C-alpha cells in the first residue's frame, strides 16, 4: 500500500506487523527506488515493514512519483532472498564490559557461557536503523535469552556495547543513554562520519557475532569502561 | 584573525546555530535531517542577497546576540524582530530595520536584543557562511553531534569566527515587500494533511483534536513541538516503528500531540494523525512557549501547490 503522508513524502507499507521475511523485499525495493528516482529522491527511511520516501517537488511531480513507486513495488516480492552482505563482528563477552551478562544469565536460568553461545551462534538480519546514527536493530534473538528493557534506562552506555532487548540485539555505535541489557562489547568502530558510508549496516545485511578474548579485544582497540 | 574575512560572534545569544536546508539522504543511517525551522523567513534572508536557498545562515533563537564585521560585508536579517541596531565605527548606535539587506563596514557591529514577537531571526551573508559541510550540510544537529562550525553539533559560542567569501560587493539594499511580512503575534491555525494512522482514530478523537486550542509546552525544541490541551484519549496502541515525515502529528499515550520538527528522530512507533502542512510549519516555528495553536483539516493537493510555489519562488 502506498500513500502520501504530506506534500513530499510517501509511505510504502508492506505489512502492519513485524515480519522478518519482508526485510529482503524492503532492501531490494530501497535499491530500486534509489536507482529509479535518482536525484529526485531527497531521503529514504526503510523500517521493519515500511519505507518512507521523500521526493523533491522541483524535480518530479508527485503524481508521477506515486505511479513509479507503485510500479517498483510490484517488481519486488516477499519471496526474495536476503542479498545483503555478511558482517562479522568480534565481541568480548565479559562482565567488565557486559554489565548485564550475569543478570541475563540469572533471569533466564542459564550459565554465562550459555548466554554467550546462544547469542553468538545465530546469524541476525538488519531490520531497521534508527534511534541513533548507525544503530542497527538486529533480529531475531533466540527466545531463551529474551530479555525486556531495563525499567530505568542507563544515562550512559559506552560505544560498542552489545545489547539485547525483547527479540532484538544491537550494538550501540556511540556513547549514549540506553535501556537495553548489555552483554559484551564490540571493539570495531561502527560509526564514523569520515567513512563512506558512515556505518557498515544497511537494511537486509546479516550480522554474525564471534566471541573474542581479552587480549584480542585490547589488540582491536577495545577499552574497558567502568559502569558510572 | 583580523586578516580573515568574516563575522566575529561577540555574543552568541541564547541559542544561535548555523543552518541550511538540511542533511538529506542519511535517514537510512539513522541521522536526523536538521535544517532551518522557519523556511519562509530563512528563504527571504537568502533571497534578499541573491543567495542560493541552501546557503548557510544563522538561526538566532530568542535573541541577545552581537556580531562584528571583520571586513565590509552585505547581510540580511529576517524572521522574529529583535530590535536590531548597528554600532558604527564612531560608536554611534543606529536602529537597523528587519526584513531587508544591509551592509556593515569593517569594525561595525550588529546588535540584537530579545525577540519582541516570534522566536527565530535569520541572519544571512552574501554568498553564505563559508563553513565546511558534514555529509552535505552545515546544519547543526545537537542530538547527532553533527554539523555547525566545528562539525560536532554545537550551537555558536561567544568569540567564535564565522568565515565568509572574501569578494563582497556592497549591493543595493533589498527589502521584503510589506504584504509578505508576517505578524507573529497572531494566533495561528495549522492545516493538517491527514495520513499515517488517521483512519484508525475514532471520530470523537479527531473531533477533540480539531476543536481544542493547544498551548505550546515548555519542553518543545527543534526535535518536536509539544502541545498541551484536551488529551486525545487514544484507543490506539503503539505501531511498528516507521519513518517519520517532517510535521508528523504524533499522539503518544498521554494524548498530548507532538508535532515533529527538523531535528526529529528518523523512526517512531507512536500513532500519527497526519502531518502539519509544510508552509504552516514556518509559522509554527515562530510560536513561543505558552502561545496557542489550533488545527484544521488540510487538502493534500492544495498544500502541495502552496509548497511548490514557495519552492519555485526561492529557487529561481
Amino acid at each position: 500500500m502506498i500513500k502520501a503522508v504530506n506534500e513530499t513524502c510517501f509511505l510504502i507499507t508492506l505489512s502492519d506487523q513485524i515480519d522478518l521475511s519482508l526485510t529482503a523485499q524492503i532492501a531490494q525495493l530501497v535499491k530500486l527506488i534509489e536507482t529509479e528516482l535518482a536525484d529526485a529522491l531527497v531521503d529514504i527511511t526503510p523500517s521493519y515493514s515500511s519505507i518512507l520516501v521523500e521526493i523533491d517537488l522541483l524535480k518530479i511531480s508527485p503524481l508521477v512519483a506515486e505511479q513509479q513507486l507503485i510500479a517498483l513495488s510490484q517488481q519486488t516480492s516477499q519471496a526474495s532472498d536476503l542479498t545483503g552482505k555478511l558482517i562479522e563482528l568480534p565481541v568480548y563477552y565479559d562482565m567488565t564490559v557486559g554489565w548485564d551478562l550475569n543478570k541475563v544469565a540469572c533471569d533466564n536460568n542459564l550459565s554465562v557461557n550459555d548466554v554467550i553461545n546462544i547469542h553468538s551462534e545465530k546469524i541476525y538480519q538488519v531490520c531497521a536503523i534508527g534511534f541513533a546514527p548507525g544503530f542497527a536493530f538486529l533480529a531475531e534473538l533466540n527466545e531463551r535469552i529474551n530479555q525486556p528493557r531495563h525499567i530505568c534506562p542507563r544515562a550512559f552506555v559506552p560505544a560498542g556495547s552489545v545489547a539485547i532487548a525483547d527479540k532484538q540485539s544491537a550494538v550501540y555505535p556511540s556513547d549514549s543513554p540506553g535501556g537495553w541489557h548489555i552483554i559484551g562489547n564490540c571493539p570495531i568502530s561502527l560509526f564514523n562520519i569520515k567513512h563512506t558510508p558512515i556505518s557498515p549496516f544497511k537494511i537486509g545485511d546479516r550480522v554474525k557475532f564471534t566471541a573474542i578474548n581479552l587480549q584480542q579485544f585490547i589488540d582491536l582497540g577495545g577499552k574497558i569502561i567502568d559502569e558510572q | 584573525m583580523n586578516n580573515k574575512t568574516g563575522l566575529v560572534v561577540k555574543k552568541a545569544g541564547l541559542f544561535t546555530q548555523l543552518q541550511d536546508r538540511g542533511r538529506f539522504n542519511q535517514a537510512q543511517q539513522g541521522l536526523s535531517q536538521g535544517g532551518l525551522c522557519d523556511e519562509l523567513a530563512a528563504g527571504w534572508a537568502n533571497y534578499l542577497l541573491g543567495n542560493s536557498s541552501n546557503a548557510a545562515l544563522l538561526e538566532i533563537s530568542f535573541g541577545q546576540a552581537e556580531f562584528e564585521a571583520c571586513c565590509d560585508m552585505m547581510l540580511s536579517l529576517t524572521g522574529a524582530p529583535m530590535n536590531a541596531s548597528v554600532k558604527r565605527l564612531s560608536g554611534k548606535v543606529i536602529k537597523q530595520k528587519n526584513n531587508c539587506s544591509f551592509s556593515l563596514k569593517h569594525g561595525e557591529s550588529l546588535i540584537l536584543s530579545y525577540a519582541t514577537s516570534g522566536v527565530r531571526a535569520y541572519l544571512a551573508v552574501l554568498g553564505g557562511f563559508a563553513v565546511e559541510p558534514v555529509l552535505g550540510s552545515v546544519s547543526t544537529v545537537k542530538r547527532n553531534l553533527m554539523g555547525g562550525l566545528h562539525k560536532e553539533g554545537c550551537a555558536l559560542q561567544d568569540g567564535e569566527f564565522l568565515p565568509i567569501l572574501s569578494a563582497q560587493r556592497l549591493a543595493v539594499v533589498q527589502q521584503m515587500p510589506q504584504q509578505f511580512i508576517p505578524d507573529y503575534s497572531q494566533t495561528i491555525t495549522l492545516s493538517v494533511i491527514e495520513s499515517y494512522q488517521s483512519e484508525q482514530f475514532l471520530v470523537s478523537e479527531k473531533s477533540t483534536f480539531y476543536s481544542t486550542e493547544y498551548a505550546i509546552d515548555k519542553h518543545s525544541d527543534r526535535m518536536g513541538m509539544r502541545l498541551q490541551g484536551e488529551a486525545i484519549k487514544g484507543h490506539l496502541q503503539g505501531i511498528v516503528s516507521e519513518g517519520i515525515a517532517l510535521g508528523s502529528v504524533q499522539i503518544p499515550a498521554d494524548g498530548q500531540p507532538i508535532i515533529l520538527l527538523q531535528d526529529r528522530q528518523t523512526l517512531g512507533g507512536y500513532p500519527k494523525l497526519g502531518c502539519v502542512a509544510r508552509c504552516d510549519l514556518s509559522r509554527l516555528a515562530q510560536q513561543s512557549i505558552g502561545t496557542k495553536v489550533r488545527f484544521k483539516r488540510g487538502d493534500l493537493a492544495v498544500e502541495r501547490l502552496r509548497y511548490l510555489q514557495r519552492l519555485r519562488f526561492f529557487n529561481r
Side-chain angles (χ1 to χ4, degrees):
Chain A
M1 188 175 64
I2 297 177
K3 284 184 99 172
V5 294
N6 69 6
E7 294 89 334
T8 56
C9 295
F10 295 93
L11 187 69
I12 305 173
T13 311
L14 301 176
S15 165
D16 58 5
Q17 286 170 30
I18 293 184
D19 175 354
L20 295 186
S21 68
L22 289 174
T23 306
Q25 189 185 357
I26 287 175
Q28 197 188 359
L29 192 47
V30 165
K31 210 179 271 179
L32 279 174
I33 294 168
E34 286 176 326
T35 310
E36 205 65 30
L37 291 186
D39 71 339
L41 181 69
V42 172
D43 228 327
I44 185 161
T45 319
S47 186
Y48 296 94
S49 50
S50 65
I51 306 174
L52 183 73
V53 179
E54 180 172 351
I55 57 157
D56 183 345
L57 293 184
L58 292 172
K59 296 203 175 116
I60 193 167
S61 129
L63 303 177
V64 171
E66 189 166 6
Q67 288 310 310
Q68 283 191 9
L69 292 175
I70 292 170
L72 293 175
S73 300
Q74 286 162 354
Q75 282 178 34
T76 59
S77 67
Q78 197 170 342
S80 0
D81 286 328
L82 268 184
T83 50
K85 58 188 179 299
L86 178 67
I87 303 169
E88 292 197 53
L89 296 176
V91 180
Y92 179 45
Y93 294 98
D94 189 83
M95 266 77 83
T96 50
V97 289
W99 301 336
D100 300 312
L101 188 56
N102 266 343
K103 181 170 182 284
V104 172
C106 290
D107 289 358
N108 292 283
N109 291 320
L110 295 165
S111 70
V112 164
N113 271 338
D114 290 337
V115 174
I116 297 170
N117 290 336
I118 292 167
H119 186 257
S120 60
E121 73 187 0
K122 205 160 179 187
I123 293 180
Y124 302 91
Q125 61 185 57
V126 177
C127 299
I129 297 171
F131 171 69
F135 188 98
F137 292 87
L138 308 172
E140 181 167 75
L141 205 62
N142 186 320
E143 58 186 30
R144 291 175 67 197
I145 50 172
N146 193 334
Q147 188 86 16
R149 286 165 177 75
H150 284 291
I151 294 162
C152 182
R154 284 190 177 93
F156 175 78
V157 172
S161 291
V162 176
I164 58 174
D166 300 327
K167 291 179 182 168
Q168 301 185 95
S169 188
V171 185
Y172 284 85
S174 331
D175 296 345
S176 79
W180 293 28
H181 283 75
I182 306 168
I183 58 171
N185 192 284
C186 167
I188 307 285
S189 165
L190 294 172
F191 177 72
N192 189 330
I193 57 164
K194 296 194 180 83
H195 294 169
T196 311
I198 51 178
S199 121
F201 303 115
K202 201 166 164 93
I203 283 206
D205 285 347
R206 293 159 302 147
V207 174
K208 170 94 176 66
F209 295 109
T210 310
I212 55 171
N213 61 32
L214 177 61
Q215 193 56 49
Q216 292 168 308
F217 179 65
I218 303 291
D219 290 348
L220 288 166
K223 284 192 190 78
I224 292 173
I225 295 166
D226 291 334
E227 188 168 4
Q228 294 167 358
Chain B
M1 201 179 265
N2 282 341
N3 54 2
K4 287 197 286 182
T5 54
L7 201 60
V8 175
V9 182
K10 302 287 275 186
K11 270 169 64 187
L14 297 171
F15 189 58
T16 302
Q17 288 187 323
L18 271 161
Q19 290 293 344
D20 55 23
R21 294 188 60 200
R23 190 168 286 108
F24 303 117
N25 258 321
Q26 298 293 338
Q28 268 189 83
Q29 302 286 352
L31 257 67
S32 302
Q33 288 184 339
L36 30 92
C37 276
D38 181 348
E39 291 181 306
L40 184 60
W44 274 106
N46 276 324
Y47 181 93
L48 292 170
L49 295 166
N51 286 350
S52 135
S53 65
N54 199 34
L57 43 53
L58 297 187
E59 182 173 284
I60 303 166
S61 303
F62 317 113
Q64 288 287 59
E66 188 178 333
F67 307 93
E68 185 185 306
C70 280
C71 60
D72 293 357
M73 61 171 74
M74 205 64 205
L75 305 105
S76 65
L77 182 67
T78 61
M82 296 178 177
N83 279 325
S85 56
V86 169
K87 192 173 165 192
R88 298 286 180 216
L89 280 174
S90 61
K92 198 171 155 193
V93 176
I94 55 160
K95 227 173 131 52
Q96 173 59 51
K97 262 178 63 182
N98 211 11
N99 300 309
C100 62
S101 63
F102 61 99
S103 61
L104 282 183
K105 293 243 162 58
H106 189 164
E108 292 182 337
S109 298
L110 174 72
I111 301 165
L112 301 176
S113 182
Y114 285 111
T116 51
S117 72
V119 175
R120 296 173 165 97
Y122 290 88
L123 180 66
V125 60
L126 187 70
F129 289 102
V131 173
E132 203 189 322
V134 184
L135 301 170
S137 166
V138 307
S139 278
T140 311
V141 181
K142 190 180 157 205
R143 58 187 300 272
N144 289 166
L145 306 176
M146 193 163 287
L149 189 57
H150 306 295
K151 307 184 182 180
E152 289 166 348
C154 301
L156 288 180
Q157 306 294 317
D158 293 356
E160 287 183 325
F161 180 78
L162 295 165
I164 63 168
L165 298 174
S166 51
Q168 291 276 315
R169 57 189 160 79
L170 295 187
V172 183
V173 166
Q174 301 285 336
Q175 288 194 30
M176 231 175 111
Q178 194 62 41
Q179 72 265 31
F180 295 129
I181 298 176
D183 175 3
Y184 299 128
S185 61
Q186 277 177 0
T187 307
I188 54 168
T189 301
L190 305 164
S191 292
V192 173
I193 297 163
E194 289 193 5
S195 55
Y196 281 117
Q197 290 75 39
S198 76
E199 283 162 18
Q200 295 165 46
F201 282 87
L202 302 174
V203 173
S204 60
E205 291 167 351
K206 281 195 208 175
S207 132
T208 303
F209 177 71
Y210 288 115
S211 60
T212 301
E213 200 173 57
Y214 288 97
I216 310 279
D217 183 77
K218 63 175 187 292
H219 294 110
S220 298
D221 56 18
R222 286 180 48 92
M223 198 170 159
M225 204 60 117
R226 291 168 178 270
L227 305 179
Q228 283 293 337
E230 195 179 336
I232 298 160
K233 289 276 181 282
H235 74 290
L236 281 181
Q237 300 296 312
I239 51 159
V240 177
S241 280
E242 60 189 8
I244 302 177
L246 180 61
S248 287
V249 182
Q250 187 175 279
I251 312 291
D254 69 0
Q256 304 292 347
I258 301 174
I259 303 168
L260 292 156
L261 302 181
Q262 276 68 16
D263 289 2
R264 70 196 179 281
Q265 65 278 36
T266 54
L267 300 177
Y270 289 113
K272 296 176 285 301
L273 252 169
C275 292
V276 171
R278 186 82 179 232
C279 291
D280 287 352
L281 288 175
S282 295
R283 288 304 307 274
L284 180 66
Q286 296 291 359
Q287 294 299 116
S288 49
I289 287 157
T291 57
K292 304 281 172 65
V293 294
R294 288 184 161 277
F295 295 98
K296 65 175 186 201
R297 270 193 185 84
D299 179 83
L300 177 64
V302 170
E303 295 305 333
R304 268 181 179 156
L305 191 61
R306 193 154 76 109
Y307 183 53
L308 182 60
Q309 282 169 343
R310 182 188 281 189
L311 282 175
R312 283 192 175 135
F313 180 78
F314 289 123
N315 291 275
R316 309 147 295 175

